[in-house]
Amino acid sequence: MPRILAIDYGIKRTGIAVTDEFQIIATGLTTVPSETAIAFLTNYFAKENVATVLIGEPKQMNGQPSESAAIIDTFVLKFRNAFPEMKVIRVDERFTSKMASQSMIDSGMKKKQRQNKALVDEIAATIMLQDFLTRKMF
């Protein structure tokens, strides 16, 4: 069974998470500089069987697109041009960064570790993917 990959795209960094082969567990994969995201994904897709990619869709509390939506929409166009055969699903990413920070606190990470924004982005992608998997099962 192919994996599902989630992308939490940001201006500077992009958090990436992936499922196991059975699409049961979401695991943080890495965080890459956003300008290298397509190159990283090209290499990853050459090695791993991925059929679906979730890309976060930033929204405000009222459901309207957030300020960063245009930047992410540009990335989505680049992604679709680079990987036209890949199924892309846009998912609401509201609160994933806050949830990632809270999960770091809950897991007992020290303040210095919690300030690692790359780790926050990776965990946010993992939360987005795990939420998708949970909804898919029901």
Side-chain angles (χ1 to χ4, degrees):
M1 184 178 267
R3 297 175 188 268
I4 301 172
L5 187 131
I7 299 173
D8 181 27
Y9 187 84
I11 295 169
K12 296 180 182 179
R13 292 170 310 280
T14 297
I16 301 172
V18 67
T19 65
D20 61 304
E21 295 90 1
F22 302 106
Q23 298 182 3
I24 297 171
I25 300 170
T27 305
L29 181 62
T30 190
T31 302
V32 298
S34 291
E35 65 270 8
T36 67
I38 297 292
F40 173 85
L41 293 168
T42 299
N43 289 331
Y44 188 79
F45 294 156
K47 297 175 200 163
E48 296 291 341
N49 183 13
V50 177
T52 304
V53 174
L54 310 179
I55 301 177
E57 190 168 32
K59 295 182 180 183
Q60 297 177 12
M61 290 298 294
N62 64 4
Q64 295 298 311
S66 75
E67 297 167 2
S68 60
I71 294 163
I72 296 170
D73 290 345
T74 300
F75 170 76
V76 171
L77 287 174
K78 288 179 186 176
F79 181 91
R80 286 188 167 143
N81 285 333
F83 312 106
E85 72 290 346
M86 192 69 62
K87 180 178 178 182
V88 174
I89 300 173
R90 300 295 305 272
V91 295
D92 188 349
E93 66 174 31
R94 279 181 285 189
F95 306 116
T96 56
S97 293
K98 288 184 194 267
M99 291 168 63
S101 295
Q102 187 60 48
S103 73
M104 294 168 83
I105 291 168
D106 294 345
S107 69
M109 284 187 167
K110 292 183 171 45
K111 186 174 183 179
K112 184 84 170 161
Q113 294 171 304
R114 294 192 313 258
Q115 291 172 338
N116 180 349
K117 293 186 186 296
L119 184 57
V120 172
D121 293 338
E122 183 179 326
I123 293 171
T126 307
I127 290 169
M128 191 169 46
L129 182 53
Q130 190 62 55
D131 183 58
F132 176 81
L133 292 174
T134 301
R135 292 172 194 251
K136 183 179 143 197
M137 289 180 183
F138 297 104

